[in-house]
Amino acid sequence: PLALIRRLAPVPRSYEVLDPGGRLIGSAENVGGKFSSSLRVTDAQGATAATIAHTGRRCVVRVERAAPPLFRDVAIVMAFATFRATD
């Protein structure tokens, strides 16, 4: 694997993004309050790499232009995982 996603808390949703050696390379947290269905994915420096939004049966992933491809992939996996978990 290129990255591991570890859930820290179910409500509000919070995740760590780790490299295969266990080093923190990013995170994801709720945007917009405790019960929001949107997540912001950030790198280890806190720069936003992607935003994930769920509404009804739709999911949108917005990846920042400067985001490394790894964070694009992580955001897509998180979108699928969180969408399926709430489906």
Side-chain angles (χ1 to χ4, degrees):
L2 299 176
L4 304 167
I5 302 168
R6 177 172 40 194
R7 184 171 77 173
L8 298 175
V11 177
R13 290 184 296 161
S14 179
Y15 303 88
E16 287 181 332
V17 182
L18 308 169
D19 71 7
R23 184 175 59 92
L24 181 69
I25 59 172
S27 63
E29 294 182 344
N30 272 46
V31 176
K34 184 175 181 178
F35 297 106
S36 171
S37 61
S38 298
L39 289 171
R40 181 177 62 201
V41 180
T42 58
D43 63 17
Q45 290 74 39
T48 299
T51 305
I52 304 164
H54 297 285
T55 178
R57 302 213 26 98
R58 297 180 62 198
C59 179
V60 176
V61 178
R62 179 176 178 256
V63 179
E64 299 297 323
R65 286 189 188 273
L70 175 63
F71 283 95
R72 176 203 60 213
D73 297 346
V74 164
I76 292 169
V77 168
M78 288 180 135
F80 280 127
T82 57
F83 181 71
R84 292 305 304 163
T86 59
D87 189 16

